[in-house]
Amino acid sequence: MHFREILALAVLAVNIHGVLGSPAPVPDASQAEAGKQLWINTPESTVPPAGIPSDYALHPARRAQPPSGVHLPGPKDRPAMNEQDGHADFIRTPDIGSAAPGYQKQAPVIKGITSVLDSNQQSPLNNGNPLAFKSQKHPYVPNASLFDSSTIKLPLATNKWWQNLIVEQGVDPIHPYPYIVYCNTNSSKIGFPKFTVAPEHVTSDMSSEWELGDASGALKQRKVTNTDALGVEVTWTGSGSAQMRSRFYKGMPFQTFELKGVTPLLRTTNAITKVEPVQRAVLSAHETEAQVTIDVADMPAMSKITLNDNSQWLVASKPEIKWKQNEGTLTQQGAYTGFVQLAHLGDQPQNNINVLQQYVGTYPIEGAVTYAQVQGSDGTGRSSNIVYFYKTNTDVDGDTKQVYNTTSVSTTMQLLSFVLPHHVDNIGNNTILSTGLSGYRSAKGPLTAVAGNIISYNQPLERVSFEGMRAISDSDKDRLKQQLLKDAASSTTVTAQDPYFFGKGVARVARLYQIAQEIGDKTTAATLGTKIVNLLTPWLVSKSNNDTLVYDASWGGVVSTLGISDPSLDFGQGRYNDHHFHYGYFLYAGAILAKYDINTFAPLREPMNQLLRDYANPSYADTQFPYMRHFDPYDGHSWAAGLFSFMDGRNQESTGEAINAYYSAYLYAMALGFDETAAFYEIVLNMEATSGRRYWHPMRSQSKDLYGNAFAHNTVGIVWSSKADYVTFFGADTEFVYGIQMLPFTPATRMLIRPDWVKEAWCPDNSTCADGMKTAAQHANKNGWAQFLYTAYAMVDRNAALDNALSCTPDDGNTLTNTMHWIFTNQQASADA
């Protein structure tokens, strides 16, 4: 069966399972109460996804095609953009300065923190040379009615967590944890998702509890007006001076909206059962709430609102809005200038409101990330501090130690935010709130509250290089050389015409080249090096291949000719799906060639530089490619989905290929002598691997903590912004779910899979572990998927792994030589065991 026929079946299965954005069922109030600690509900039964034919074996197909009926807007479909009036002056209008080219904002300079790389300068990958690829306009033109072209310029974002705001008609939600937000033309809707846990997936509902807008109907248009490394700014405008603005960042307990000349309207889809004014309680170490309750005039006014589903919300405003209730609607007469904040009160409303009111009124207006210089050594533990910096509305030159202007109270106006489990693993305890907040989560598990506008966590760095982890014994080296000669003669032909499968093929040859160099077979290496050049030249130099790469002048990136003409081809590559997967393979081949034969590599260097800048551009100053297209520094991993709108937000399936992308970037920078750039890529690589282990490859005990007791697997197929699936885009077979997270096997693969995880995942007791790797390998029946699983098992038992892996037919991106090399350099037991 041809893989595209299989893919069509896969899309059907995926749609049945609901991973293309179908809303999850909304639990009723009794269910919500039963699972209120993390707002998790476990249904009594679920329908498993449709199976995939068992003859689908050798080719791990990539991204499922977009749903049928995807509209490709032409120029006539896009309304002309009217010049937007200048930003209104809000209560505290931030000085946003002049925007860097494209959507980026410059990286911050934080006192006492030295960045590993000055991302405000041009990268050494950009020599100012002409584009290596023919430039053409994209038929899917950016919808200029959705963003402010005076601040949002080329190159444009294509894979950001907030991407739904500027694709299609911009109507699907974004997911700034722990909320879901819809940015409609004249209002914003905010919801607090309830999560449902089943054996095969964790989903969240898409409903909203509140809508904030203008009672007079003055707001008529919304646009993205600015973005930075962590978030996005959205502004609503309309008749007269009416304006509403919000900046959305993940991990903010308050959703904040600045209003200018707006008649406030706040309404809920539920019934309001109670509205209670909240007096600010400020306690010393020796006082109780009963002893001291102080109204602080300079603080925002607060109300606690209870809805008929028993959820409770804190609504704050400054200056105070005198809300008038009419059933489920709250309004105030007359135009208002100030801000409104909404916060869900979680599963312990009284405790949470006592914490939240200490931080009410402070919100972020800018966000930035610094990747600090590497510390330590291999002997003492190498690491880098990842620093999130938020400028807030209360800052004066970055100083957050202000106090409210009262004579009786001294309360710091710090920023309150949440962090994810992988942050908590390596964050300083002094940053985490001792009192905490309860009942807040994301699709990646519970959220933890932290205080301060600078949040730093330590990212351990695992060393990886061109060579394998361990030296190869002489006997193994002889065996490896014999297999290398066979594969060099039979496994170097690459016939694939699309960038993904061609990339896998050329990287397969490059792995043979690297192994030949590693074991000292210079003759075979020379032959393989020539083969790599001959394979890459039609794609990157002569442009004589069938699916030519071109530069997309509408968004700013390199795409395939077929992909740009049809979003269903090349796995959506023309709409920026999976560029790090595809081009990561190209870069691996380029890195190996550049390391060992820089002169032969020379004609390929500029186009290879531009492919790397396409998916992992390390410079904000680049005017042709966006900064780090796929990578999300808050989640610590990449998003693969491009210019397609999904209710569930962004997604990524293959962590193994994401790791390969940054591993290849790291090797490439090392081969060219770009030490600072290589150090930056090493940090990003380790972040991707850390999040991969935490969210795609958790131990079963961790999986229960992250996803809930009903989801007991120790691998996840697809992680979305708002859900997690034990399935792939091309099928639900267990070997697919495991295997797509591992391939390709390189020295970097060990960063993702650990011996303890492999041992637990193998699950030899099939009667109690039907989802185990052993069961999956047997089901795969000696094909390429089985080989991946047996190769990983080398971390537990070398000999058993080797015998089984070498009896399998390799995947089209793999060889028996590479399988042997990985087992020999990552084995748990010695060759003589």
Side-chain angles (χ1 to χ4, degrees):
M1 182 179 290
H2 195 274
F3 84 91
R4 296 206 184 279
E5 296 176 287
I6 294 164
L7 190 59
L9 292 171
V11 173
L12 175 62
V14 166
N15 275 308
I16 292 172
H17 189 49
V19 301
L20 289 182
S22 301
V26 181
D28 61 27
S30 62
Q31 291 174 315
E33 181 65 21
K36 68 177 183 178
Q37 183 176 0
L38 289 178
W39 292 91
I40 289 177
N41 308 288
T42 302
E44 293 181 359
S45 63
T46 59
V47 179
I52 297 299
S54 59
D55 61 348
Y56 179 45
L58 297 181
H59 301 292
R62 286 293 327 117
R63 176 81 43 217
Q65 314 302 341
S68 60
V70 171
H71 178 51
L72 282 177
K76 293 182 180 179
D77 297 311
R78 300 299 194 194
M81 178 181 172
N82 298 320
E83 289 297 321
Q84 182 179 335
D85 294 333
H87 284 270
D89 291 326
F90 292 95
I91 286 276
R92 296 181 65 94
T93 302
D95 178 14
I96 61 174
S98 58
Y103 68 91
Q104 303 103 329
K105 299 292 292 298
Q106 290 190 343
V109 177
I110 303 174
K111 185 177 180 180
I113 299 173
T114 304
S115 176
V116 71
L117 177 73
D118 186 354
S119 56
N120 296 325
Q121 302 299 316
Q122 285 290 357
S123 162
L125 298 168
N126 183 5
N127 298 315
N129 293 327
L131 285 167
F133 305 95
K134 178 183 176 181
S135 180
Q136 71 177 70
K137 294 290 187 179
H138 204 299
Y140 182 70
V141 296
N143 187 343
S145 69
L146 297 178
F147 61 91
D148 183 351
S149 62
S150 69
T151 56
I152 311 295
K153 303 179 185 295
L154 283 172
L156 298 175
T158 57
N159 300 74
K160 298 304 177 185
W161 67 267
W162 45 263
Q163 200 70 43
N164 279 353
L165 293 173
I166 62 170
V167 294
E168 305 301 337
Q169 300 306 311
V171 298
D172 283 339
I174 58 175
H175 300 270
Y177 322 139
Y179 299 100
I180 180 173
V181 175
Y182 296 80
C183 293
N184 300 328
T185 302
N186 57 0
S187 66
S188 182
K189 292 183 177 180
I190 304 96
F192 188 75
K194 283 76 174 175
F195 286 83
T196 299
V197 182
E200 309 304 325
H201 53 259
V202 180
T203 58
S204 61
D205 71 307
M206 298 287 125
S207 62
S208 59
E209 278 85 0
W210 293 102
E211 181 180 16
L212 179 66
D214 181 77
S216 68
L219 299 178
K220 300 184 182 301
Q221 185 179 48
R222 75 97 175 136
K223 292 183 178 182
V224 172
T225 49
N226 227 313
T227 73
D228 55 45
L230 291 169
V232 59
E233 176 187 277
V234 178
T235 302
W236 290 259
T237 57
S239 56
S241 62
Q243 195 171 89
M244 181 169 77
R245 178 167 64 183
S246 185
R247 300 167 191 86
F248 298 107
Y249 293 94
K250 285 182 284 190
M252 296 299 149
F254 295 99
Q255 291 298 299
T256 305
F257 297 84
E258 297 170 324
L259 310 179
K260 170 65 186 272
V262 169
T263 304
L265 178 147
L266 183 62
R267 60 187 169 200
T268 178
T269 54
N270 299 307
I272 296 175
T273 60
K274 187 183 298 184
V275 179
E276 304 170 84
V278 177
Q279 289 186 323
R280 179 170 178 87
V282 181
L283 310 178
S284 74
H286 305 289
E287 294 169 321
T288 67
E289 186 174 356
Q291 293 170 321
V292 180
T293 300
I294 304 174
D295 282 329
V296 183
D298 197 46
M299 292 290 295
M302 294 175 285
S303 298
K304 182 173 71 173
I305 299 178
T306 303
L307 304 181
N308 65 345
D309 64 354
N310 294 321
S311 66
Q312 295 185 329
W313 292 73
L314 178 65
V315 178
S317 59
K318 183 182 177 183
E320 181 179 4
I321 295 177
K322 303 290 187 180
W323 297 110
K324 293 185 177 180
Q325 181 184 353
N326 181 10
E327 296 183 344
T329 300
L330 302 172
T331 58
Q332 173 179 284
Q333 296 298 314
Y336 171 84
T337 296
F339 66 77
V340 175
Q341 291 186 301
L342 294 91
H344 193 279
L345 294 181
D347 63 358
Q348 296 185 22
Q350 190 55 52
N351 174 73
N352 290 340
I353 201 170
N354 289 340
V355 175
L356 288 168
Q357 65 174 314
Q358 298 176 47
Y359 301 90
V360 69
T362 301
Y363 53 90
I365 57 176
E366 289 184 20
V369 182
T370 292
Y371 305 83
Q373 283 187 342
V374 176
Q375 310 166 38
S377 63
D378 288 333
T380 59
R382 299 169 66 251
S383 66
S384 169
N385 286 325
I386 311 303
V387 184
Y388 306 138
F389 172 79
Y390 297 98
K391 183 177 180 181
T392 73
N393 63 313
T394 62
D395 290 355
V396 176
D397 297 326
D399 180 12
T400 58
K401 295 181 180 178
Q402 297 183 80
V403 297
Y404 284 109
N405 183 22
T406 67
T407 58
S408 57
V409 176
S410 177
T411 303
T412 60
M413 299 173 69
Q414 288 184 310
L415 179 68
L416 180 66
S417 63
F418 291 115
V419 291
L420 292 167
H422 78 280
H423 300 130
V424 176
D425 292 342
N426 293 289
I427 204 168
N429 290 332
N430 59 333
T431 306
I432 297 175
L433 286 185
S434 58
T435 51
L437 289 167
S438 174
Y440 300 86
R441 68 159 293 144
S442 73
K444 291 184 171 73
L447 298 171
T448 301
V450 296
N453 74 328
I454 296 178
I455 301 169
S456 176
Y457 77 95
N458 187 261
Q459 173 61 57
L461 300 180
E462 182 175 346
R463 183 78 77 177
V464 67
S465 67
F466 290 87
E467 294 79 22
M469 179 180 179
R470 295 185 176 94
I472 305 173
S473 69
D474 289 341
S475 60
D476 282 344
K477 191 176 294 185
D478 290 340
R479 188 176 181 184
L480 188 60
K481 184 174 181 179
Q482 293 174 21
Q483 186 62 50
L484 173 65
L485 293 175
K486 295 177 183 178
D487 285 335
S490 63
S491 299
T492 59
T493 299
V494 182
T495 60
Q497 299 296 309
D498 67 286
Y500 175 68
F501 284 109
F502 171 81
K504 288 184 67 178
V506 74
R508 178 187 74 225
V509 180
R511 282 296 297 145
L512 295 177
Y513 182 39
Q514 167 61 34
I515 293 168
Q517 294 283 1
E518 200 168 326
I519 66 175
D521 187 346
K522 301 299 182 183
T523 301
T524 303
T527 301
L528 291 167
T530 300
K531 183 67 176 180
I532 294 169
V533 173
N534 292 339
L535 288 170
L536 288 172
T537 296
W539 283 81
L540 302 182
V541 181
S542 66
K543 316 297 195 305
S544 58
N545 64 301
N546 293 337
D547 194 5
T548 312
L549 298 178
V550 297
Y551 178 79
D552 164 23
S554 300
W555 294 87
V558 177
V559 295
S560 67
T561 301
L562 291 178
I564 198 173
S565 63
D566 186 341
S568 69
L569 298 180
D570 292 349
F571 310 105
Q573 203 257 25
R575 293 272 196 98
Y576 293 93
N577 280 359
D578 304 351
H579 277 210
H580 56 329
F581 299 163
H582 295 197
Y583 298 149
Y585 285 116
F586 282 71
L587 262 295
Y588 181 79
I592 303 303
L593 194 61
K595 174 177 172 60
Y596 295 109
D597 194 346
I598 192 66
N599 293 327
T600 301
F601 174 71
L604 302 168
R605 179 167 177 161
E606 186 56 36
M608 199 68 76
N609 283 354
Q610 292 180 24
L611 289 186
L612 179 51
R613 287 164 59 203
D614 173 90
Y615 77 83
N617 172 28
S619 170
Y620 284 109
D622 198 316
T623 59
Q624 295 169 321
F625 300 95
Y627 179 80
M628 299 300 291
R629 184 184 302 280
H630 297 272
F631 192 69
D632 186 326
Y634 180 85
D635 288 74
H637 65 78
S638 299
W639 296 112
L643 299 176
F644 298 99
S645 190
F646 297 100
M647 287 286 288
D648 296 301
R650 301 296 94 193
N651 65 67
Q652 178 160 275
E653 179 185 56
S654 179
T655 53
E657 288 177 313
I659 287 170
N660 181 65
Y662 301 115
Y663 172 56
S664 300
Y666 169 65
L667 296 184
Y668 187 80
M670 289 284 286
L672 296 184
F674 301 152
D675 292 344
E676 289 183 350
T677 305
F680 169 72
Y681 286 142
E682 183 187 23
I683 295 169
V684 173
L685 167 61
N686 276 271
M687 292 173 70
E688 187 84 39
T690 296
S691 286
R693 293 192 304 270
R694 198 67 167 92
Y695 304 119
W696 280 262
H697 277 187
M699 300 294 286
R700 291 182 190 272
S701 59
Q702 290 179 320
S703 181
K704 292 178 180 180
D705 291 339
L706 293 176
Y707 302 120
N709 289 333
F711 188 92
H713 306 292
N714 69 342
T715 192
V716 175
I718 310 167
V719 171
W720 296 74
S721 300
S722 61
K723 67 176 183 177
D725 282 307
Y726 184 77
V727 72
T728 72
F729 280 111
F730 50 90
D733 288 1
T734 304
E735 59 265 33
F736 300 167
V737 181
Y738 279 112
I740 197 63
Q741 306 307 336
M742 298 179 185
L743 64 87
F745 272 80
T746 71
T749 307
R750 64 181 172 81
M751 302 175 71
L752 179 64
I753 58 177
R754 303 297 204 206
D756 288 348
W757 179 84
V758 173
K759 187 174 183 179
E760 182 186 77
W762 198 252
C763 245
D765 183 358
N766 298 334
S767 63
T768 59
C769 192
D771 64 344
M773 285 172 59
K774 180 178 180 180
T775 306
Q778 293 169 345
H779 179 264
N781 193 25
K782 302 298 183 179
N783 65 20
W785 295 106
Q787 188 172 66
F788 292 142
L789 305 190
Y790 286 127
T791 302
Y793 191 59
M795 303 190 87
V796 177
D797 185 337
R798 166 221 158 97
N799 292 333
L802 188 63
D803 291 343
N804 282 288
L806 295 185
S807 67
C808 297
T809 302
D811 165 70
D812 56 359
N814 198 21
T815 62
L816 292 179
T817 299
N818 186 54
T819 299
M820 291 174 67
H821 178 272
W822 202 91
I823 292 174
F824 292 161
T825 57
N826 290 276
Q827 62 194 16
Q828 181 66 22
S830 68
D832 300 324

